[in-house]
Structures are given as structure tokens and as C-alpha cells.
Amino acid sequence: MFKKVRFTSYQKFSVLTTSVLAFGTIAQAAPIELTMQHMEQPPSRVEAMQVVVDKFNEKYPEYRMKQNVVGWGEAFTRVPAQIEAGVSVDLQQAIPGFFVYVREMGAKGVKPATSVYEQVAKEVKFIDAYVDQYRAEGEIWAIPAFGMLELLMYNKKHFEEAGIPHPPKTTEDVLAAAKKLTDPDNDRYGFALPASDTLAGTQSIYTWMGAFGGKKIFDDSCNPIVNNPQNKRAYSFLKELASYSPPDIGSYAWAEVEGSLVSGRASMITFKNAFMNSWINDSGLGPNDLGAAPIPVPKDGSGERFSLAYSNAFMVMTDDPKKQEGLAKFMSFWLSPEIYGEWLGTSEPGLFLPVTDDSKTNEIMFSAPVLSQFKDQHQTSLDEAPYTGMYGFMQNNYCPQVGQFEGQNFTAKAMEKMVVEDISPDEAVGYLEELMLNVK
């Protein structure tokens, strides 16, 4: 039989106090959920990012960061759809053109990241060039995370077996070597140029446009200015280069370009230092057989030392102050020398360049097992960083049309049309400008 219990005032107070404290403890213990979304799909990159995320969650239990992955091939459709549906993430990877594309969706999309950037900048020293691509209208719109740029990558052994001096320094050297190294009967080609309507094609083709002196695509009023003698020479060069490339380059994206060099089917490509693991594992050659050189320029001096360079950054998609504070802590943690150096060295050795100026980060990065074998090639990337640029970010005014320029791969479309329909370089450049003029 149960005895009826009467609570005294003190007992009631104790129970109430205990309940409030217990509830408060539970409320305090609930971590703030954060989600980052990036486009680095290969498993090694996802695993390396998970290491960063796990370490962050362990150090800061008040937050729970999760990563989500979307491929670049679907990013231009899926991310806007997420924003429209109100299911956007808190941190979203961007490259400059993609940022412009998303920003055109207005306030429901990307938020100003200046306050988050300033908190992170107290902890790390950013390289200004990587920040500048995200400055517009008095705000910073994304936090730089890693850079990448294009080089001329080549098989040294092929050059030496053919008695060709290397590295090629002029565009004339590239054509001469590509011609000599091409042997269709044995399925060997001097170059592998992606003549496809892909971001891989855009990056490779624009890099050569810049080397011929055509890096500016808009004037200061955002009018297209690509129909010029420099780009006509660039497309003429590219058309000849395509003739020394495998016949299926119309379907080439990053994987096919990389694979053609690693397999020995092609001798040269314009690419990032993105395939050191596959070179070691699949080429049958050693690290010293992989050549990396600045993008060659025309012999007559009419071009300029240049490479396309991306500042990959993370846009802030939430205006919740507590979440923004967590995002600042996460970015500061990721970019700290020990964490960042390890991530740069292991995620995709050679592909990602530091956006911070820190010798300790570089020391840890270069000591990674694979990257330590390709120091010369990676150092070439670091040395080229001052000679880089980004389409649509070289005029005084902010030009939102660059989002369509990149998202619809205009340079690659013109290249594809030139190769498939066999139109002239002048017609291809005219078509490129026509595409840009039709952007609403």
C-alpha cells in the first residue's frame, strides 16, 4: 500500500531546482548542427575532409559539423534548387564564377561573409590574391580555403626518347613537340586537349587564351571583349593542338585528360598537379619522369606568363549569429598550420595550394609521403601563383554575367564547335562573343 506523501515547500523547491538544472544541462549539451557542402567528390578527398571534421567536433563539442558532397557536374543545378527549396547548407564551396551564379539568387542564398572572414583572419594570414576574388560592393563573400592553377604537365621520358628538349617554353615549341610525338597508328598523341562542353574544357582553353594575351573577357562596363586578335591566335593554336590529340577528345573531362597522360597515350596536358598518386601507381614511371612547367607563351613576345587560378572558398549561407560563430571557429581550425598542412599534403597531393602565408603549413605539407616525392612539381605551382588570373575578375566593375560564362562553359562550347563543325578560329571566337552577348 502506498503511503500518501506531502511535499514541503523546501522539497518542492528542490525538485523544481533540480529539474531546471537538469533541463539546462541537457539544453547546454545539445550541439549546434553545422553542415558544409563541397564538390571534392573523389573518396580520398572526402576521407581527408572527414578527418578535419572529426577533429573539429572532438575539440569543439558544442558544435556538430557534417559534410555533404555534390559533384561539380550537378552543382550549378542542385545548389540553386536547394536554396529555392529552403534546404541550403551553412557553408557552401564556391569558385568565383559559381559564387556570382549563386549570388544572383539574392538574399535567400549567399550571405555577406565579412564578419566571419574577419574572425578567421585574426587567426591566419590570408594571401590577398585569394581573398580579392570574393570582394564586391564593400563586402567579402566567401572564406578562401585552397587554391589551384594550371601547368603544362608532360612525360619527360617521351621527350627524351624522341630527342626533344624540355620543357617547352613557347607555344611554337608545344606544337612542334606535339606533332613529333603523335603516332596515331600506335595510339600515341602529343597532347590531350579537352574539346568538350565541360568545366575541364573551360579551364584548359581559357588558360591558353591568357597565355596569348586574351585574359580579359569584359571591359570595365562588362561588355564582352573576347573577339580580338589575341584570342583568334589562341583558337588557331588550339585547333592545331587538337589535331595532335586523341580522336575522342570531344568527350574528355578531367579524368580522361589525366588518364591519357598517366597511361602514356598522350605526352602533354594542361592540368593541375592533381594526379601524383595515380602517376606513382599506374604510369610505370617514377616521380622524376613527370614534368611540370609554366604555360608556354608565343615566341614573338605577344603573350604573357599566365595561368588560370581558382580561389576555392566557402560561402556563408546562414544568417544565424550562433551558426556563423561556429563557422568561423571551423574555418580557423581547418586553416591552422597543423591541420591545414596535413590536409593539403594528403587530401589530393599536389592539387590544393595554400591560401595562407605560413611556413609551418608548407613544411608539414611538403613532408607528406606522396608530396615529398614531387617537391619540384609542386614548387612550380607555388612559383606560378603570382602570374595567375581568373576570367571575369580583371576589370574594375563586378560583372554578374561571368556566372553564365562559366556555368555554360562558353569557351569550351566555342572550342567544341570549332573541332566538331570544323569552323575557322575567327568564327569560333565570334561565336564565343555571340554567346556572351546573349546573356540576359
Side-chain angles (χ1 to χ4, degrees), residues 117 119-128 130-131 144 332 335-337 340 354-359 361:
Y117 167 81
Q119 291 180 64
V120 180
K122 290 177 183 175
E123 307 293 330
V124 303
K125 183 182 178 184
F126 283 106
I127 298 171
D128 287 342
Y130 290 114
V131 182
S332 297
L335 299 177
S336 61
Y340 194 39
V355 295
T356 60
D357 184 5
D358 191 298
S359 58
T361 294

PDB file of all heavy atoms in Angstrom, residues 117 119-128 130-131 144 332 335-337 340 354-359 361:
ATOM      1  N   TYR A 117      34.848  36.212 -42.010  1.00  0.00           N
ATOM      2  CA  TYR A 117      36.218  36.330 -42.531  1.00  0.00           C
ATOM      3  C   TYR A 117      37.118  37.055 -41.531  1.00  0.00           C
ATOM      4  O   TYR A 117      38.252  36.626 -41.268  1.00  0.00           O
ATOM      5  CB  TYR A 117      36.201  37.082 -43.869  1.00  0.00           C
ATOM      6  CG  TYR A 117      37.580  37.527 -44.314  1.00  0.00           C
ATOM      7  CD1 TYR A 117      38.446  36.636 -44.937  1.00  0.00           C
ATOM      8  CD2 TYR A 117      38.016  38.830 -44.071  1.00  0.00           C
ATOM      9  CE1 TYR A 117      39.716  37.031 -45.309  1.00  0.00           C
ATOM     10  CE2 TYR A 117      39.283  39.231 -44.445  1.00  0.00           C
ATOM     11  CZ  TYR A 117      40.126  38.334 -45.065  1.00  0.00           C
ATOM     12  OH  TYR A 117      41.397  38.733 -45.423  1.00  0.00           O
ATOM     13  N   GLN A 119      36.898  37.300 -38.349  1.00  0.00           N
ATOM     14  CA  GLN A 119      37.233  36.450 -37.192  1.00  0.00           C
ATOM     15  C   GLN A 119      38.324  35.444 -37.557  1.00  0.00           C
ATOM     16  O   GLN A 119      39.251  35.219 -36.785  1.00  0.00           O
ATOM     17  CB  GLN A 119      35.984  35.707 -36.723  1.00  0.00           C
ATOM     18  CG  GLN A 119      34.933  36.596 -36.084  1.00  0.00           C
ATOM     19  CD  GLN A 119      33.711  35.800 -35.648  1.00  0.00           C
ATOM     20  OE1 GLN A 119      33.803  34.952 -34.780  1.00  0.00           O
ATOM     21  NE2 GLN A 119      32.570  36.060 -36.253  1.00  0.00           N
ATOM     22  N   VAL A 120      38.216  34.850 -38.756  1.00  0.00           N
ATOM     23  CA  VAL A 120      39.217  33.867 -39.180  1.00  0.00           C
ATOM     24  C   VAL A 120      40.560  34.554 -39.422  1.00  0.00           C
ATOM     25  O   VAL A 120      41.627  34.024 -39.076  1.00  0.00           O
ATOM     26  CB  VAL A 120      38.751  33.136 -40.461  1.00  0.00           C
ATOM     27  CG1 VAL A 120      39.790  32.111 -40.900  1.00  0.00           C
ATOM     28  CG2 VAL A 120      37.404  32.461 -40.233  1.00  0.00           C
ATOM     29  N   ALA A 121      40.517  35.766 -40.002  1.00  0.00           N
ATOM     30  CA  ALA A 121      41.750  36.488 -40.342  1.00  0.00           C
ATOM     31  C   ALA A 121      42.539  36.906 -39.104  1.00  0.00           C
ATOM     32  O   ALA A 121      43.711  37.267 -39.211  1.00  0.00           O
ATOM     33  CB  ALA A 121      41.412  37.709 -41.193  1.00  0.00           C
ATOM     34  N   LYS A 122      41.917  36.864 -37.938  1.00  0.00           N
ATOM     35  CA  LYS A 122      42.671  37.127 -36.706  1.00  0.00           C
ATOM     36  C   LYS A 122      43.582  35.954 -36.359  1.00  0.00           C
ATOM     37  O   LYS A 122      44.556  36.100 -35.627  1.00  0.00           O
ATOM     38  CB  LYS A 122      41.696  37.366 -35.541  1.00  0.00           C
ATOM     39  CG  LYS A 122      40.923  38.665 -35.639  1.00  0.00           C
ATOM     40  CD  LYS A 122      39.941  38.779 -34.474  1.00  0.00           C
ATOM     41  CE  LYS A 122      39.108  40.044 -34.593  1.00  0.00           C
ATOM     42  NZ  LYS A 122      38.057  40.117 -33.536  1.00  0.00           N
ATOM     43  N   GLU A 123      43.240  34.776 -36.899  1.00  0.00           N
ATOM     44  CA  GLU A 123      43.985  33.556 -36.569  1.00  0.00           C
ATOM     45  C   GLU A 123      44.978  33.151 -37.645  1.00  0.00           C
ATOM     46  O   GLU A 123      45.973  32.488 -37.344  1.00  0.00           O
ATOM     47  CB  GLU A 123      42.998  32.392 -36.344  1.00  0.00           C
ATOM     48  CG  GLU A 123      41.894  32.676 -35.334  1.00  0.00           C
ATOM     49  CD  GLU A 123      42.429  32.840 -33.919  1.00  0.00           C
ATOM     50  OE1 GLU A 123      43.453  32.208 -33.613  1.00  0.00           O
ATOM     51  OE2 GLU A 123      41.824  33.603 -33.150  1.00  0.00           O
ATOM     52  N   VAL A 124      44.707  33.473 -38.910  1.00  0.00           N
ATOM     53  CA  VAL A 124      45.580  33.060 -40.014  1.00  0.00           C
ATOM     54  C   VAL A 124      45.844  34.261 -40.920  1.00  0.00           C
ATOM     55  O   VAL A 124      45.052  35.212 -40.952  1.00  0.00           O
ATOM     56  CB  VAL A 124      44.956  31.911 -40.852  1.00  0.00           C
ATOM     57  CG1 VAL A 124      44.645  30.722 -39.967  1.00  0.00           C
ATOM     58  CG2 VAL A 124      43.701  32.374 -41.570  1.00  0.00           C
ATOM     59  N   LYS A 125      46.962  34.207 -41.654  1.00  0.00           N
ATOM     60  CA  LYS A 125      47.309  35.289 -42.575  1.00  0.00           C
ATOM     61  C   LYS A 125      46.965  34.863 -43.997  1.00  0.00           C
ATOM     62  O   LYS A 125      47.656  34.041 -44.602  1.00  0.00           O
ATOM     63  CB  LYS A 125      48.798  35.625 -42.475  1.00  0.00           C
ATOM     64  CG  LYS A 125      49.214  36.792 -43.358  1.00  0.00           C
ATOM     65  CD  LYS A 125      50.706  37.047 -43.251  1.00  0.00           C
ATOM     66  CE  LYS A 125      51.119  38.199 -44.176  1.00  0.00           C
ATOM     67  NZ  LYS A 125      52.595  38.391 -44.156  1.00  0.00           N
ATOM     68  N   PHE A 126      45.886  35.407 -44.548  1.00  0.00           N
ATOM     69  CA  PHE A 126      45.470  35.048 -45.907  1.00  0.00           C
ATOM     70  C   PHE A 126      46.373  35.716 -46.944  1.00  0.00           C
ATOM     71  O   PHE A 126      46.853  36.840 -46.738  1.00  0.00           O
ATOM     72  CB  PHE A 126      44.030  35.498 -46.159  1.00  0.00           C
ATOM     73  CG  PHE A 126      42.993  34.620 -45.521  1.00  0.00           C
ATOM     74  CD1 PHE A 126      42.304  35.038 -44.390  1.00  0.00           C
ATOM     75  CD2 PHE A 126      42.707  33.371 -46.052  1.00  0.00           C
ATOM     76  CE1 PHE A 126      41.347  34.231 -43.799  1.00  0.00           C
ATOM     77  CE2 PHE A 126      41.746  32.553 -45.469  1.00  0.00           C
ATOM     78  CZ  PHE A 126      41.063  32.984 -44.340  1.00  0.00           C
ATOM     79  N   ILE A 127      46.577  35.044 -48.073  1.00  0.00           N
ATOM     80  CA  ILE A 127      47.229  35.657 -49.240  1.00  0.00           C
ATOM     81  C   ILE A 127      46.158  36.478 -49.961  1.00  0.00           C
ATOM     82  O   ILE A 127      45.105  35.950 -50.330  1.00  0.00           O
ATOM     83  CB  ILE A 127      47.805  34.570 -50.166  1.00  0.00           C
ATOM     84  CG1 ILE A 127      48.887  33.764 -49.416  1.00  0.00           C
ATOM     85  CG2 ILE A 127      48.375  35.193 -51.446  1.00  0.00           C
ATOM     86  CD1 ILE A 127      49.372  32.535 -50.160  1.00  0.00           C
ATOM     87  N   ASP A 128      46.417  37.771 -50.122  1.00  0.00           N
ATOM     88  CA  ASP A 128      45.379  38.694 -50.600  1.00  0.00           C
ATOM     89  C   ASP A 128      44.745  38.253 -51.923  1.00  0.00           C
ATOM     90  O   ASP A 128      43.534  38.423 -52.117  1.00  0.00           O
ATOM     91  CB  ASP A 128      45.967  40.100 -50.763  1.00  0.00           C
ATOM     92  CG  ASP A 128      46.215  40.761 -49.414  1.00  0.00           C
ATOM     93  OD1 ASP A 128      45.640  40.292 -48.417  1.00  0.00           O
ATOM     94  OD2 ASP A 128      46.999  41.720 -49.364  1.00  0.00           O
ATOM     95  N   TYR A 130      43.888  35.513 -53.075  1.00  0.00           N
ATOM     96  CA  TYR A 130      42.815  34.534 -52.936  1.00  0.00           C
ATOM     97  C   TYR A 130      41.549  35.141 -52.320  1.00  0.00           C
ATOM     98  O   TYR A 130      40.459  34.622 -52.478  1.00  0.00           O
ATOM     99  CB  TYR A 130      43.282  33.346 -52.088  1.00  0.00           C
ATOM    100  CG  TYR A 130      44.297  32.474 -52.791  1.00  0.00           C
ATOM    101  CD1 TYR A 130      45.603  32.382 -52.331  1.00  0.00           C
ATOM    102  CD2 TYR A 130      43.950  31.748 -53.929  1.00  0.00           C
ATOM    103  CE1 TYR A 130      46.544  31.587 -52.978  1.00  0.00           C
ATOM    104  CE2 TYR A 130      44.873  30.949 -54.583  1.00  0.00           C
ATOM    105  CZ  TYR A 130      46.171  30.875 -54.109  1.00  0.00           C
ATOM    106  OH  TYR A 130      47.092  30.086 -54.761  1.00  0.00           O
ATOM    107  N   VAL A 131      41.723  36.241 -51.598  1.00  0.00           N
ATOM    108  CA  VAL A 131      40.578  36.919 -50.992  1.00  0.00           C
ATOM    109  C   VAL A 131      39.915  37.851 -52.004  1.00  0.00           C
ATOM    110  O   VAL A 131      38.691  37.972 -52.064  1.00  0.00           O
ATOM    111  CB  VAL A 131      41.023  37.726 -49.751  1.00  0.00           C
ATOM    112  CG1 VAL A 131      39.811  38.392 -49.084  1.00  0.00           C
ATOM    113  CG2 VAL A 131      41.751  36.844 -48.757  1.00  0.00           C
ATOM    114  N   PRO A 144      38.371  32.051 -48.230  1.00  0.00           N
ATOM    115  CA  PRO A 144      39.259  31.207 -49.044  1.00  0.00           C
ATOM    116  C   PRO A 144      39.679  29.942 -48.294  1.00  0.00           C
ATOM    117  O   PRO A 144      39.915  29.990 -47.071  1.00  0.00           O
ATOM    118  CB  PRO A 144      40.466  32.113 -49.313  1.00  0.00           C
ATOM    119  CG  PRO A 144      39.923  33.505 -49.206  1.00  0.00           C
ATOM    120  CD  PRO A 144      38.882  33.423 -48.108  1.00  0.00           C
ATOM    121  N   SER A 332      38.819  28.605 -38.907  1.00  0.00           N
ATOM    122  CA  SER A 332      40.077  28.889 -38.203  1.00  0.00           C
ATOM    123  C   SER A 332      40.787  27.590 -37.838  1.00  0.00           C
ATOM    124  O   SER A 332      42.014  27.476 -37.957  1.00  0.00           O
ATOM    125  CB  SER A 332      39.814  29.702 -36.934  1.00  0.00           C
ATOM    126  OG  SER A 332      39.257  30.945 -37.241  1.00  0.00           O
ATOM    127  N   LEU A 335      42.230  25.879 -41.079  1.00  0.00           N
ATOM    128  CA  LEU A 335      43.368  26.584 -41.660  1.00  0.00           C
ATOM    129  C   LEU A 335      44.539  26.745 -40.688  1.00  0.00           C
ATOM    130  O   LEU A 335      45.541  27.381 -41.040  1.00  0.00           O
ATOM    131  CB  LEU A 335      42.918  27.961 -42.168  1.00  0.00           C
ATOM    132  CG  LEU A 335      41.839  27.938 -43.263  1.00  0.00           C
ATOM    133  CD1 LEU A 335      41.423  29.355 -43.634  1.00  0.00           C
ATOM    134  CD2 LEU A 335      42.325  27.193 -44.507  1.00  0.00           C
ATOM    135  N   SER A 336      44.425  26.180 -39.489  1.00  0.00           N
ATOM    136  CA  SER A 336      45.569  26.225 -38.562  1.00  0.00           C
ATOM    137  C   SER A 336      46.689  25.356 -39.137  1.00  0.00           C
ATOM    138  O   SER A 336      46.427  24.344 -39.796  1.00  0.00           O
ATOM    139  CB  SER A 336      45.151  25.741 -37.182  1.00  0.00           C
ATOM    140  OG  SER A 336      44.692  24.402 -37.239  1.00  0.00           O
ATOM    141  N   PRO A 337      47.968  25.724 -38.930  1.00  0.00           N
ATOM    142  CA  PRO A 337      49.080  25.064 -39.644  1.00  0.00           C
ATOM    143  C   PRO A 337      49.093  23.543 -39.563  1.00  0.00           C
ATOM    144  O   PRO A 337      49.282  22.868 -40.580  1.00  0.00           O
ATOM    145  CB  PRO A 337      50.317  25.675 -38.975  1.00  0.00           C
ATOM    146  CG  PRO A 337      49.872  27.024 -38.533  1.00  0.00           C
ATOM    147  CD  PRO A 337      48.435  26.856 -38.113  1.00  0.00           C
ATOM    148  N   TYR A 340      45.841  22.155 -41.430  1.00  0.00           N
ATOM    149  CA  TYR A 340      45.826  22.545 -42.842  1.00  0.00           C
ATOM    150  C   TYR A 340      46.990  21.900 -43.610  1.00  0.00           C
ATOM    151  O   TYR A 340      46.809  21.399 -44.729  1.00  0.00           O
ATOM    152  CB  TYR A 340      45.904  24.070 -42.920  1.00  0.00           C
ATOM    153  CG  TYR A 340      45.563  24.689 -44.259  1.00  0.00           C
ATOM    154  CD1 TYR A 340      44.532  24.205 -45.050  1.00  0.00           C
ATOM    155  CD2 TYR A 340      46.277  25.798 -44.722  1.00  0.00           C
ATOM    156  CE1 TYR A 340      44.216  24.805 -46.268  1.00  0.00           C
ATOM    157  CE2 TYR A 340      45.966  26.410 -45.932  1.00  0.00           C
ATOM    158  CZ  TYR A 340      44.936  25.909 -46.697  1.00  0.00           C
ATOM    159  OH  TYR A 340      44.628  26.507 -47.900  1.00  0.00           O
ATOM    160  N   PRO A 354      48.090  26.286 -50.746  1.00  0.00           N
ATOM    161  CA  PRO A 354      47.697  27.019 -49.544  1.00  0.00           C
ATOM    162  C   PRO A 354      47.230  28.436 -49.861  1.00  0.00           C
ATOM    163  O   PRO A 354      47.808  29.105 -50.722  1.00  0.00           O
ATOM    164  CB  PRO A 354      48.973  27.025 -48.702  1.00  0.00           C
ATOM    165  CG  PRO A 354      50.085  26.802 -49.668  1.00  0.00           C
ATOM    166  CD  PRO A 354      49.529  25.951 -50.768  1.00  0.00           C
ATOM    167  N   VAL A 355      46.210  28.883 -49.155  1.00  0.00           N
ATOM    168  CA  VAL A 355      45.729  30.266 -49.302  1.00  0.00           C
ATOM    169  C   VAL A 355      46.211  31.126 -48.143  1.00  0.00           C
ATOM    170  O   VAL A 355      45.844  32.289 -48.047  1.00  0.00           O
ATOM    171  CB  VAL A 355      44.189  30.320 -49.382  1.00  0.00           C
ATOM    172  CG1 VAL A 355      43.691  29.628 -50.623  1.00  0.00           C
ATOM    173  CG2 VAL A 355      43.549  29.719 -48.120  1.00  0.00           C
ATOM    174  N   THR A 356      47.020  30.523 -47.283  1.00  0.00           N
ATOM    175  CA  THR A 356      47.593  31.272 -46.163  1.00  0.00           C
ATOM    176  C   THR A 356      49.107  31.332 -46.325  1.00  0.00           C
ATOM    177  O   THR A 356      49.718  30.456 -46.942  1.00  0.00           O
ATOM    178  CB  THR A 356      47.261  30.595 -44.822  1.00  0.00           C
ATOM    179  OG1 THR A 356      47.807  29.263 -44.823  1.00  0.00           O
ATOM    180  CG2 THR A 356      45.756  30.523 -44.616  1.00  0.00           C
ATOM    181  N   ASP A 357      49.689  32.380 -45.772  1.00  0.00           N
ATOM    182  CA  ASP A 357      51.139  32.553 -45.832  1.00  0.00           C
ATOM    183  C   ASP A 357      51.712  32.086 -44.504  1.00  0.00           C
ATOM    184  O   ASP A 357      51.760  32.848 -43.538  1.00  0.00           O
ATOM    185  CB  ASP A 357      51.449  34.040 -46.076  1.00  0.00           C
ATOM    186  CG  ASP A 357      52.938  34.284 -46.249  1.00  0.00           C
ATOM    187  OD1 ASP A 357      53.698  33.304 -46.268  1.00  0.00           O
ATOM    188  OD2 ASP A 357      53.334  35.462 -46.353  1.00  0.00           O
ATOM    189  N   ASP A 358      52.109  30.810 -44.474  1.00  0.00           N
ATOM    190  CA  ASP A 358      52.592  30.240 -43.217  1.00  0.00           C
ATOM    191  C   ASP A 358      53.631  29.157 -43.521  1.00  0.00           C
ATOM    192  O   ASP A 358      53.298  28.133 -44.113  1.00  0.00           O
ATOM    193  CB  ASP A 358      51.409  29.647 -42.426  1.00  0.00           C
ATOM    194  CG  ASP A 358      51.793  29.285 -41.009  1.00  0.00           C
ATOM    195  OD1 ASP A 358      52.662  28.416 -40.837  1.00  0.00           O
ATOM    196  OD2 ASP A 358      51.234  29.880 -40.080  1.00  0.00           O
ATOM    197  N   SER A 359      54.864  29.388 -43.119  1.00  0.00           N
ATOM    198  CA  SER A 359      55.946  28.452 -43.439  1.00  0.00           C
ATOM    199  C   SER A 359      55.735  27.099 -42.758  1.00  0.00           C
ATOM    200  O   SER A 359      56.111  26.062 -43.311  1.00  0.00           O
ATOM    201  CB  SER A 359      57.296  29.046 -43.022  1.00  0.00           C
ATOM    202  OG  SER A 359      57.298  29.338 -41.642  1.00  0.00           O
ATOM    203  N   THR A 361      52.851  25.614 -42.219  1.00  0.00           N
ATOM    204  CA  THR A 361      51.893  24.879 -43.047  1.00  0.00           C
ATOM    205  C   THR A 361      52.607  24.228 -44.216  1.00  0.00           C
ATOM    206  O   THR A 361      52.415  23.038 -44.518  1.00  0.00           O
ATOM    207  CB  THR A 361      50.808  25.842 -43.579  1.00  0.00           C
ATOM    208  OG1 THR A 361      50.032  26.324 -42.492  1.00  0.00           O
ATOM    209  CG2 THR A 361      49.887  25.141 -44.572  1.00  0.00           C
TER     210      THR A 361
END
